[in-house]
Amino acid sequence: MSEVKSTLKVAGWGCEGCSGATADALKKLAGVRSVTTDLEKGVAEVVHDDSKASRADLEKAVTEAGYQVVG
Ligand SMILES: [Cu+2]
């Protein structure tokens, strides 16, 4: 169990529906503990168990939700 916090910079959000959909997609991943999004900054902060959900897994979920991880 190695819980870490990752900050993803996300492009493509236009409204709270976008950031909410992204948070929902991230929360579906096994190993994701919590997701906080900041629409204005375009940032998602994810607390996750690195051994179950890697940063690459997070980025994939964001991409599949229709947005781009830019940092
Ligand atoms: Cu939107």
Side-chain angles (χ1 to χ4, degrees):
M1 186 84 186
S2 56
E3 207 163 83
V4 296
K5 188 190 233 180
S6 291
T7 303
L8 304 178
K9 193 104 176 61
V10 181
W13 287 349
C15 67
E16 279 179 17
C18 298
S19 53
T22 303
D24 287 346
L26 288 165
K27 284 174 188 165
K28 278 186 197 150
L29 296 175
V32 169
R33 173 71 50 99
S34 69
V35 182
T36 310
T37 56
D38 186 321
L39 176 60
E40 270 181 37
K41 290 180 184 160
V43 163
E45 283 196 334
V46 186
V47 177
H48 58 109
D49 181 342
D50 210 15
S51 66
K52 290 182 187 152
S54 66
R55 187 183 171 99
D57 293 328
L58 306 181
E59 293 185 358
K60 187 161 171 268
V62 172
T63 302
E64 285 177 356
Y67 308 100
Q68 300 86 47
V69 178
V70 293

